[in-house]
Amino acid sequence: MKAAVVLFPGSNREGDAVRAIEAATGHKPPIVWHADTELPAGTDLVVLPGGFSYGDYLRCGAIAGRAAIMDAVRAHAARGGLVLGICNGFQILCEGGLLPGVLMRNKDLRFICKMQHLRVERADTAFTRAYRQGQVIKVAIAHGEGNYEADDETIARLEGEGRVAFRYCDEQGVVGGLANPNGSTHDIAGIYSEKRNVLGMMPHPENLIDPLVGGVDGAGLFKSLVAA
Amino acid sequence: MQRQTTQITPQLVAEHGLKPDEYERLLALIGREPSLTELGIFSAMWNEHCSYKSSRMHLRKLPTKAPWVIQGPGENAGVIDIGDGLACVFKMESHNHPSFIEPYQGAATGVGGILRDVFTMGARPIACLNLLRFGAPEHPRTRHLVAGVVAGIGGYGNSFGVPTVGGSVNFHTRYDGNILVNAMAVGIAKANEIFYAKATGVGRPIVYLGSKTGRDGIHGATMASASFEADAEEKRPTVQVGDPFSEKLLLEACLEIMAKGCVIAIQDMGAAGLTSSAVEMGAKGGLGIELDLDHVPCREANMTAYEMMLSESQERMLMVLDPAKEAEAEAIFVKWGLDFAVIGKTTDTKRFVVKHQGRIEANLPIMELGDEAPVYDRPHVPTPKKPVIAAASVIAPMSNAEALTRLLATPDLCSKRWVWEQYDHLILGNSVQQPGGDSGVVRIGDGPKGLAMTTDVTQRYCEADPVEGGKQAVAEAWRNLTATGALPLALTDNLNFGNPEKPEYMGQIVGCLEGIGEAARALDFPIVSGNVSLYNETQGRGILPTPSIGGVGLLDDVTRSASVAFKRAGQTILLVGETTGWLGQSVYLRDICGREEGAPPPVDLAAERRNGDFVRSLILAGRVDAAHDLSDGGLAVALAEMAMASKIGARVTVDAGPQPHAFWFGEDQARYLVTATQDEAARIAAEAAGAHVPVLTLGVTGGDAVALTGEAPVAISTLAHAHEDWLPAYMAGRDPAGSAPAPTKQGN
């Protein structure tokens, strides 16, 4: 599996993504500059990393969603290629038209960084086959704008088509209430595109790949992709 | 708009913060009346913030050297050798006055400034910490200031992309009108690729990089050198505005051109902006500097030379580049979308010449601007010694179990989770120990090395006895590092005090520095960087003396670091260090008995060293599985913290003596808690006796409560709820769970 990580001005978790991919694949993925117009030949997976692309000015992800490289990313996705957007990357996917909806400010208006449990909604996608359906995993969140919103019709379609990837939950896997850190609709932490080849998620699986630093629950996502 | 034709009146001189005798000194130095721009330059270079004129002669007494110190005070940050060809670069700096006026931007630019100090030296920042002091919770501004400062620190650090791994937050009415925001940054560089401010070579281009210059922050350093009157709000226009996005780009661009060998000298534009950075580069290199302000990238039209020289716009750098690599450097900056302009050159005249629109706006002797700044031996009186408070004279107003629950829900001892969850403490994936423990522990790259880091000071001890308080601040930082298993290597200090022109406050400065120096020498813990913030007072009343200490320690194998949490039930709990039951200046005496009095606990530096070295050896040998230093709140609070961190209880059965409240809550120094198996604990106790280290077996871990000898057990869930709820409740304006009523005054 050949991965590439896109670097926008203001990205800051690109190194964390590179480290997680390297740990899973044994190869360090190339960094692709935002102003480039092509992905490296043979790229299977494009990762849009976390951070504050363009300072989050205007709207989170709005400027990056229109960066030169995004045409190549959209073409890659249209061909069925895999795309993973984490945190700011999720925001960029929404702003860039690859996923529906928008990430609003957290319900209590504060940035929040903590460990968070997620429920894996399906384990039959390229991103999640190393997990079990319904498995509860513990990963990190670190965002100020992670409150997923979309119109009722879109939410109904996402639910109906099984496109919710992860939901915020408590240790036992129970969703709702205080287990939802940001007010996200239907406790949504991540969603798929129609063909499930594009995943956008707010939490950071790339920071949970090491028992010394919080745990290894995020490694399953990268292991799944290696097998994809 | 001000032009150089402005008449220099005594009033104008006073508005620039220069005393009449300092102005006489200026006249004698240049032999004529200065232009307005020159007056501004002198005011920027000779203020307290840049010249250390009140503290310099006392700072000289601090120990700053050790075989592992690569660079001590005087550069942008201190540098220590951590082996394997790596260096750790770190410093702490205050942004107190701006943060009181405009908390979000003040705190944000404080973080930005300290990060810039670190990457200017060629280091990639790997962690941030901070030390915050706010006014009394009931003061009407406090909630607003806490919210703004915390959001500002997070807003800058989170976007810049460095984890904030530790800090300290306290409240006291003496900070009501003058909060403290001290930010620390830690970076890693190659030991043989450190960059300095010293310019070399004549006729080399001086290059301006980064954001454009605007009118923000003009006279920020002068503001930082004056005390507040009731008009503090009106100073809002002197607060700079931060742009972490630009700083992130500046970081990447600077490290890239450094790696390409383009940089000869580099200095960030911090306090006093272009003036201070240009003068420092020239003066350190024994060269002159000539600037042509027509080429300075400006954000606003029609800026005067005076404004450009004194602007404190953020995210700017000044460099001397290798002329052969100028084009390569420019291409890198253009790629990152940053301004790049040649604005002057080095000369052999030792003059600081500033030109603007064809006119010479300043022509000053460069060496004297820094070197000839006034140095004062200000009158100082020592703080009178306070009486030692006998434990027997303090009547316990409630059971010790209840006092413990209440102490955990006090503003100073409550959980600061509400604060640190707003900081990204997980980015970069190396945060082995996160906020809430004794120190932040960060792995270096893929390991096995790691750094422990902490910020500490106990200001009420410093107020009661500056010398002991200064010693204690250093000792506590050293202890917090030791409790993780790290070897403490060096510290940075951020000296926050009141008006040095008042002998009583100057006495606090002199006393604290004496204590800091003594402890740093005794513990082999040299000072490698620092910052002085004086005139922290409002309407004539100074803050508590607050010499913040930021400590850094090295772990050769970060996987062996110890943490606060109990690891399993059935472990024996050992108390290392001597307990006398010292209640003077304790949190118990203040928050439970309503008495802020007495002499603080004395610091026995030989015992600190002995006990600390003993504990560290136990951790590194893997003989103990949890370790915690004892500080505010004493033994019972430390036990509760270990229990809450693990959800494993403790049953303590040791005899608490005739004054149990003093045993549980006294704040004797040089103490730690560790846990080990029963057999191992017996061996440790036997060895300790031989090493003259006092060790007391307290009891065992287990259960779901903290049970102190002779006291009703308190469920961990009760303790944790009280501990966790105070700050969120306070910030939301509701009554916290388990909150103590206002302490009742007790006569004695």
Side-chain angles (χ1 to χ4, degrees), chain B residues 472-495:
Chain B
Q472 195 274 344
V474 173
E476 182 167 354
W478 190 85
R479 211 154 57 218
N480 275 322
L481 301 173
T482 294
T484 68
L487 181 66
L489 287 183
L491 65 89
T492 177
D493 58 9
N494 196 149
L495 307 167

Side-chain angles (χ1 to χ4, degrees), chain B residues 151-231:
Chain B
I153 290 172
Y156 207 102
N158 298 346
S159 177
F160 182 82
V162 64
T164 299
V165 299
S168 161
V169 182
N170 281 180
F171 299 83
H172 196 280
T173 187
R174 292 273 292 281
Y175 303 107
D176 283 351
N178 195 128
I179 62 172
L180 300 185
V181 174
N182 294 178
M184 173 170 165
V186 181
I188 295 290
K190 287 185 184 156
N192 58 359
E193 290 178 23
I194 305 291
F195 289 81
Y196 298 97
K198 181 183 170 181
T200 57
V202 172
R204 286 191 164 150
I206 294 186
V207 177
Y208 171 116
L209 305 160
S211 298
K212 293 185 193 335
T213 296
R215 291 196 172 95
D216 49 338
I218 291 175
H219 278 308
T222 312
M223 176 177 76
S225 305
S227 51
F228 274 159
E229 300 307 328
D231 65 351

Side-chain angles (χ1 to χ4, degrees), chain B residues 75 360 393 434 613:
Chain B
E75 275 286 343
I360 293 185
S393 73
Q434 297 156 16
D613 288 348

Side-chain angles (χ1 to χ4, degrees), chain A residues 36 95 100 108 114 138 148 151 175 184 195 198 202:
Chain A
D36 290 352
E95 287 285 347
D108 60 10
K114 62 170 192 166
K138 189 181 76 174
Y148 183 77
D151 57 56
V175 299
S184 196
K195 292 184 204 153
V198 178
M202 287 312 297

